[in-house]
Amino acid sequence: GEDVEQSLFLSVREGDSSVINCTYTDSSSTYLYWYKQEPGAGLQLLTYIFSNMDMKQDQRLTVLLNKKDKHLSLRIADTQTGDSAIYFCAERAPTSGTYKYIFGTGTRLKVLA
Amino acid sequence: DAGVTQSPTHLIKTRGQQVTLRCSPKSGHDTVSWYQQALGQGPQFIFQYYEEEERQRGNFPDRFSGHQFPNYSSELNVNALLLGDSALYLCASGAGLLNSPLHFGNGTRLTVT
């Protein structure tokens, strides 16, 4: 079946690194995404990685992809209080001439000052 | 560059009523998808529109219907509202059937009493 799984909560101290993990199920997924959602807002695209890559770095964000284990992670370096939000992992898989996105349930990141 | 815009931002309806939500895609995008996000959950795919046609549909009843206009904007209609329809409704736009990456609006918060 289709399922993207994430741990529900993560708490870190300001200045530490945060690592948010995700497992997905569709091996045909071509892109994997990380979105951020702040209270009362929509989803903000943070970064994404193509399925033939192992790692992508974008400023404080590092995405690691283990395609064999269908495991994706997002590392946030030097975590700040403004990073407190819910983080969603999503996979894009082909279907019927287009693509569908499947989202995880989200990881709530709390950054302690 | 205007992002995805949705209206209204909040809406309160009574069980059994009908509702229409509206979305304008990001400039340059022509694909619109709708998602339902219940409290504490990840977004669940409702349907996708491209070239004014519904291209794919998630596991939602026929009470949920939509439309895309020639200017690429879209409406989501929900008939015979149930209490369980209370959620944040997110619109996302993308470019063509590649549909990647999705850009989200801030959503419409629907409360059914």
Side-chain angles (χ1 to χ4, degrees):
Chain A
E2 302 172 347
D3 205 7
V4 176
E5 294 187 352
Q6 300 179 237
S7 52
L8 292 180
F9 298 101
L10 177 65
S11 180
V12 300
R13 296 214 169 268
E14 191 174 21
D16 289 349
S17 291
S18 308
V19 179
I20 302 171
N21 295 301
C22 166
T23 56
Y24 61 98
T25 55
D26 195 331
S27 58
S28 63
S29 291
T30 51
Y31 282 92
L32 296 125
Y33 301 86
W34 285 103
Y35 285 85
K36 176 184 180 183
Q37 187 175 37
E38 297 184 81
L43 273 65
Q44 173 195 352
L45 177 66
L46 283 179
T47 187
Y48 58 96
I49 188 167
F50 188 51
S51 58
N52 69 352
M53 297 171 64
D54 297 325
M55 185 182 86
K56 180 179 179 182
Q57 189 153 359
D58 185 359
Q59 299 183 334
R60 291 190 299 123
L61 306 179
T62 302
V63 179
L64 295 178
L65 175 60
N66 181 329
K67 199 173 178 182
K68 173 176 168 289
D69 294 337
K70 299 192 188 71
H71 183 265
L72 182 74
S73 68
L74 173 70
R75 177 176 180 270
I76 306 173
D78 187 25
T79 313
Q80 303 297 306
T81 54
D83 295 325
S84 292
I86 302 175
Y87 290 81
F88 291 96
C89 162
E91 58 175 335
R92 186 189 87 151
T95 179
S96 306
T98 181
Y99 294 88
K100 61 182 178 183
Y101 282 67
I102 303 163
F103 286 83
T105 52
T107 299
R108 184 179 295 274
L109 173 64
K110 184 173 181 179
V111 182
L112 305 171
Chain B
D1 176 19
V4 180
T5 57
Q6 293 186 243
S7 63
T9 53
H10 294 85
L11 205 49
I12 300 174
K13 289 287 189 177
T14 303
R15 209 168 23 171
Q17 286 187 315
Q18 177 263 344
V19 69
T20 297
L21 311 182
R22 296 177 175 82
C23 171
S24 291
K26 178 180 168 66
S27 178
H29 286 180
D30 52 8
T31 302
V32 173
S33 301
W34 287 91
Y35 288 79
Q36 180 194 65
Q37 186 181 20
L39 202 61
Q41 300 295 316
Q44 297 293 312
F45 174 69
I46 303 175
F47 41 55
Q48 176 200 53
Y49 278 86
Y50 174 70
E51 292 185 334
E52 302 178 50
E53 289 184 10
E54 183 183 292
R55 293 298 180 135
Q56 55 170 325
R57 188 178 183 95
N59 190 24
F60 278 80
D62 292 345
R63 297 187 298 108
F64 289 76
S65 63
H67 190 77
Q68 185 180 35
F69 299 95
N71 66 353
Y72 311 122
S73 67
S74 176
E75 287 182 351
L76 163 66
N77 300 292
V78 187
N79 294 322
L81 284 166
L82 303 173
L83 296 179
D85 295 331
S86 295
L88 180 67
Y89 288 85
L90 295 164
C91 172
S93 70
L97 288 175
L98 289 178
N99 205 19
S100 180
L102 285 184
H103 291 258
F104 284 82
N106 283 331
T108 294
R109 171 73 62 187
L110 172 65
T111 302
V112 182
T113 62

